[in-house]
Amino acid sequence: MSLATIIYAGMRQYERPSLALVLMGGGARTAYQVGVLRAVAGMLQSQPGAARSFPFQILVGSSAGAINATFLAGRALDGLHAFAQLAEFWGRLRSTDVYQLNLPHWLRFSRVALVLGLSRHLQVNGALLDSTPLAALLREGIAFNGIDDALRARRIDALAVTGSSYNTGVHWTFCHTASRDAFQPWSHPGRRAEFQPLTVDHLLASSAIPFLFPATTLRVDGREEHFGDGAMRQITPLSPAMHLGARKILVIGVGEPEQPALAIDPLSTPTRGPTLGSMAGHVMASVFHDTLQADVEQTRRVTETIHSLPPEAVAAMRYQAIEVLAMEPSQSLDALAQRYTTELPVPIREALGALGMLKGSGGTLASYLLFEPGFVHSLISLGESDAAAREAELLALLAGE
């Protein structure tokens, strides 16, 4: 993120301080965010005399994180109950509600035929999976009308969803605010923002993992472009929240803890090299490359630098630090997913197995596709546990204690 964005955000004066929720992408892994948020709701409810209103004024999401953010925005008028509703939404999910593999059944009886069929399918459709079930799920499960209701009631100020254009390479942020006229777009090299009321297509575009899900067409700058996952080219995940007026930010990522040993493929040798599963996991990790900590660290460094200036200079700048709290899993989600790969739908498991993508570090790829109860509930429990361990920090940010 540019220094100008951080400094300008800290010097702007707002009618009311805004608390932002930023949800990073990661397919099924984003169930972790549900656990953190459900725990947060419980913390806020337990505070003596605490309000039960929805705590976030700005919501920003990318990939599956965009789905979570939009779900919450549509139910912001329900207050803290919105987080319980999000948990119920995830609790009912199955992989078949999100995607399907459209291949003739007879291909499953021949590994060679299956591999050839998958290759042909990718060439024709540009993606391995069909996201039609996801479109139906979003239309039924997300209260898009509730977003406008929450904006008009000033329960929230903005909802922003990101996508990456395959046509131009530009990383776009689509912002849904109460007024088009009051919205101030931004444009930086490779990053742009535009006012657009959000729809199912925006969420399909933002969550279209390359090679797995098909691109979605959106209209920008008066022309149609094909969009894929919002995590691609996402180099400044906190920037949209700051542009939209955040004074405090809770950001929840779903990346891997820093454990170098996990990067070693146990089935890889100097002569054999990495397995396809290991390479697929590496590619997915690159697509969802987590720049979160770099953004957080830069925001803190700017604050420390400004506060080290002479008091007269600090007073003249009227700079207020942007408070950021970043939550990420304390355990490896790749290793956790490895325990539940048998829960994948049989056609998906056979297809990935035929391609050799479940060997070695195959848990990495599976972790993005495992919308199944075992994995989802484990992620939610981990999110709740991690949030409980940082309760004091969370309450200090959210409740000002």
Side-chain angles (χ1 to χ4, degrees):
M1 181 169 20
S2 69
L3 294 177
T5 297
I6 302 173
I7 295 173
Y8 178 65
M11 294 177 65
R12 287 171 65 183
Q13 302 299 312
Y14 300 101
E15 182 180 343
R16 63 170 179 170
S18 292
L19 172 63
L21 175 65
V22 177
L23 300 177
M24 307 290 284
R29 300 162 72 100
T30 54
Y32 172 82
Q33 299 167 350
V34 180
V36 172
L37 292 170
R38 188 162 72 175
V40 164
M43 295 173 195
L44 294 176
Q45 285 176 333
S46 66
Q47 295 301 294
R52 300 295 188 265
S53 58
F54 192 75
F56 302 103
Q57 292 78 51
I58 298 168
L59 296 104
V60 178
S62 58
S63 192
I67 295 175
N68 286 341
T70 305
F71 184 100
L72 292 171
R75 288 166 171 76
L77 291 179
D78 293 335
L80 295 179
H81 185 55
F83 302 110
Q85 293 176 335
L86 180 62
E88 292 170 4
F89 174 80
W90 274 88
R92 296 190 300 267
L93 270 185
R94 299 295 184 272
S95 297
T96 51
D97 297 322
V98 180
Y99 56 80
Q100 59 191 18
L101 179 60
N102 299 323
L103 283 177
H105 181 75
W106 61 267
L107 289 178
R108 294 168 52 186
F109 297 102
S110 168
R111 184 185 182 92
V112 174
L114 182 56
V115 171
L116 292 176
L118 289 170
S119 176
R120 176 62 178 166
H121 182 78
L122 278 167
Q123 292 176 13
V124 173
N125 299 284
L128 179 65
L129 304 173
D130 179 3
S131 59
T132 301
L134 176 60
L137 176 71
L138 296 176
R139 290 190 183 94
E140 179 182 349
I142 293 185
F144 288 95
N145 291 337
I147 299 172
D148 288 316
D149 294 340
L151 288 168
R152 282 193 293 266
R154 299 204 64 196
R155 193 61 54 84
I156 62 173
D157 295 331
L159 167 66
V161 165
T162 62
S164 184
S165 171
Y166 285 119
N167 297 82
T168 63
V170 173
H171 188 268
W172 282 86
T173 300
F174 302 102
C175 301
H176 193 162
T177 58
S179 169
R180 179 188 294 268
D181 296 333
F183 174 70
Q184 298 179 3
W186 61 88
S187 179
H188 304 293
R191 296 183 292 120
R192 295 187 60 181
E194 183 171 288
F195 174 91
Q196 287 195 20
L198 295 178
T199 66
V200 168
D201 285 342
H202 289 91
L203 299 184
L204 290 175
S206 184
S207 57
I209 301 174
F211 302 112
L212 294 180
F213 295 101
T216 299
T217 302
L218 296 175
R219 195 168 184 82
V220 291
D221 276 346
R223 65 178 180 274
E224 290 188 343
E225 295 185 12
H226 293 89
F227 279 81
D229 203 289
M232 294 188 292
R233 296 176 176 262
Q234 188 176 40
I235 57 175
T236 58
L238 301 184
S239 179
M242 292 188 183
H243 276 289
L244 291 167
R247 306 299 313 184
K248 298 180 179 182
I249 302 174
L250 171 62
V251 53
I252 309 177
V254 292
E256 284 291 288
E258 291 189 11
Q259 298 180 24
L262 291 175
I264 300 175
D265 184 348
L267 299 185
S268 174
T269 66
T271 55
R272 290 179 57 191
T275 64
L276 280 177
S278 177
M279 289 189 288
H282 185 73
V283 169
M284 294 301 291
S286 298
V287 170
F288 290 93
H289 178 60
D290 204 336
T291 57
L292 173 58
Q293 289 304 325
D295 235 10
V296 172
E297 182 60 28
Q298 180 153 313
T299 302
R300 291 173 177 164
R301 280 202 305 268
V302 169
T303 298
E304 293 171 0
T305 301
I306 289 178
H307 286 171
S308 68
L309 298 173
E312 302 81 11
V314 176
M317 291 179 67
R318 301 176 66 187
Y319 178 82
Q320 295 182 6
I322 308 297
E323 296 182 53
V324 181
L325 176 59
M327 290 286 304
E328 292 194 282
S330 59
Q331 300 177 23
S332 167
L333 303 192
D334 294 353
L336 187 62
Q338 195 77 55
R339 306 176 198 169
Y340 296 100
T341 55
T342 55
E343 289 191 359
L344 283 168
V346 173
I348 301 299
R349 195 166 69 245
E350 291 180 347
L352 296 181
L355 295 172
M357 291 186 177
L358 293 181
K359 294 180 180 179
S361 303
T364 303
L365 180 60
S367 70
Y368 296 92
L369 298 174
L370 262 169
F371 295 90
E372 299 295 338
F375 187 53
V376 166
H377 293 158
S378 295
L379 289 176
I380 292 176
S381 295
L382 177 60
E384 290 178 315
S385 174
D386 286 352
R390 302 182 66 180
E391 180 174 358
E393 295 175 79
L394 286 164
L395 285 177
L397 181 80
L398 299 169
E401 297 185 359

